[in-house]
Amino acid sequence: MRVTEDGPAPPEVPDSTTADTVLERLTAAYTSASDPVAAAAMRAYMKDVAPFLGLKTPVRRALSRTVEAGLPRPSEADCTAVALRCWELPEREYHYFAVDHLRRHVRRCSSGFLPVTRYLVTTVPWWDTVDPLAAHVVGALVAADPALAAEMDRWSADADMWLVRTALLHQLRHKERTDTERLFGYCLRQSGHPDFFVRKAIGWALREYAKTDPDAVRDFIAREGDRFAPLSVREASRNIGVSRPSAGEPQGGLPLRGKSFDARRGIGKDRPHVPVRLPPRSIRRRGCAEGCRHRSRRRSRRRPKLTLPGSSGGPRRGRVGQVPGVPVPAARRSAAPGA
């Protein structure tokens, strides 16, 4: 890939009649359904990374299906042409179409498509396009050709944080086929990275692999957790009950909680912390419909009893509609039962 002063130059766009048809249909369909009010809100939400047409996801995907209706299966050259020509358009919805198109047809692309993906990742980059490209396109290319793992090694050490994030996330869907040595190695290599998106990606990659091998991630966090930012540790241990060890606590096995936590529960220093599942905060505050009143039960004990004048405060049987201790008005005496 050629490199210019402004960064990597775009790859050459191959000739493709399929891409011509797709772009002609796409621009007509998307432009006619644009919504300027929604476009302003979307642009603000995405931190002004690109202009928007204002197409909600269900509407955009329905239009995309009509655009691709009746077209033959694309070749790798068609995928390259569609993606690069969509990326030339400023509105973000065209980039989303290119990402969805590549996700559907990535199996028709060879390892030679990786430079095109690198250009897409580093041009107008933001998490909304980088993450699906990493997990569904780059990850599929590496799974089909393990020789591309060497290129991931270079991306994981690149100065571009979006390439680093892509290298961290490209194995999200590999599950049992995950290369744990590379996964943990990439995380350790970027453990001190100052950017939020890299720290978040570290925790996300570890949390996703924990669904396949929780013990491996738990041991890794217990052994190396002090090298990571709290955000990375919190994300990685969200579903496996691991917390960062405090200073002076043992590093092996399950980490222990702080002294105040142990003192309240009578846990000695030699006993590991066992996660305790508490009800959601909303239930602890209001109580739930099934009768688990938690805080509301304690609140009811503090509620003062209301006694009416002339009553002893205990239950009394009276006529229907009559309050104990309060005389019935004359107008209602004739209508009262038993009058």
Side-chain angles (χ1 to χ4, degrees):
M1 179 181 294
R2 296 179 295 111
V3 179
T4 64
E5 294 181 358
D6 298 329
E12 295 182 1
V13 181
D15 295 331
S16 170
T17 56
T18 299
D20 295 339
T21 304
V22 168
L23 267 296
E24 182 181 356
R25 295 180 180 181
L26 183 65
T27 53
Y30 276 18
T31 303
S32 62
S34 61
D35 183 350
V37 177
M42 292 178 179
R43 185 167 186 168
Y45 178 75
M46 286 298 172
K47 307 298 183 184
D48 204 22
V49 67
F52 281 78
L53 292 171
L55 301 180
K56 302 293 180 64
T57 299
V59 175
R60 175 174 56 81
R61 289 179 175 170
L63 293 173
S64 299
R65 287 192 292 269
T66 62
V67 168
E68 295 184 298
L71 294 177
R73 290 185 178 181
S75 63
E76 181 175 341
D78 295 333
C79 292
T80 301
V82 168
L84 293 178
R85 290 179 63 177
C86 284
W87 235 257
E88 291 174 353
L89 300 174
E91 289 81 11
R92 197 60 164 174
E93 285 86 349
Y94 296 117
H95 304 173
Y96 294 159
F97 176 86
V99 172
D100 293 341
H101 185 77
L102 292 177
R103 287 180 60 174
R104 284 191 296 272
H105 304 294
V106 66
R107 292 185 178 181
R108 308 187 68 82
C109 300
S110 66
S111 56
F113 190 77
L114 190 63
V116 178
T117 309
R118 178 189 176 107
Y119 173 77
L120 302 179
V121 167
T122 56
T123 305
V124 198
W126 200 240
W127 61 265
D128 56 340
T129 56
V130 171
D131 293 356
L133 284 173
H136 298 278
V137 181
V138 176
L141 293 174
V142 176
D145 184 4
L148 295 178
E151 186 67 17
M152 293 297 101
D153 295 342
R154 288 186 283 272
W155 287 19
S156 68
D158 199 275
D160 191 314
M161 72 173 185
W162 297 109
L163 289 178
V164 174
R165 184 176 173 93
T166 302
L168 288 165
L169 299 180
H170 84 277
Q171 296 191 90
L172 280 182
R173 303 175 70 243
H174 287 192
K175 298 183 180 180
E176 292 83 3
R177 296 177 290 111
T178 300
D179 186 340
T180 55
E181 183 178 354
R182 278 192 162 88
L183 172 62
F184 294 157
Y186 294 171
C187 292
L188 289 173
R189 178 179 297 172
Q190 298 296 339
S191 59
H193 200 285
D195 192 85
F196 166 83
F197 288 103
V198 174
R199 294 180 174 185
K200 184 82 170 182
I202 291 173
W204 184 9
L206 293 174
R207 184 180 77 242
E208 194 66 23
Y209 182 61
K211 298 177 183 178
T212 301
D213 191 350
D215 292 335
V217 176
R218 186 181 294 110
D219 294 342
F220 178 71
I221 292 298
R223 185 176 63 253
E224 306 288 353
D226 56 342
R227 298 178 57 177
F228 293 98
L231 171 64
S232 301
V233 176
R234 184 168 61 250
E235 288 294 321
S237 58
R238 180 179 295 179
N239 298 324
I240 57 177
V242 175
S243 60
R244 178 198 291 271
S246 303
E249 294 182 344
Q251 300 291 325
L254 287 173
L256 306 181
R257 289 285 189 175
K259 293 181 179 178
S260 60
F261 183 93
D262 296 341
R264 290 195 304 270
R265 289 160 178 79
I267 300 177
K269 294 183 178 180
D270 57 338
R271 291 184 59 186
H273 163 62
V274 178
V276 179
R277 288 188 175 274
L278 295 176
R281 184 175 298 177
S282 59
I283 293 180
R284 296 203 303 271
R285 287 179 177 176
R286 300 190 304 270
C288 62
E290 289 77 15
C292 301
R293 293 184 177 83
H294 304 296
R295 284 187 59 184
S296 62
R297 182 184 302 170
R298 294 193 296 271
R299 190 182 299 116
S300 64
R301 294 173 183 172
R302 295 192 299 268
R303 191 175 299 151
K305 292 184 178 180
L306 179 61
T307 57
L308 296 173
S311 65
S312 60
R316 293 184 58 185
R317 295 182 179 271
R319 295 174 179 175
V320 178
Q322 180 179 352
V323 179
V326 178
V328 180
R332 294 177 53 194
R333 286 177 184 170
S334 59

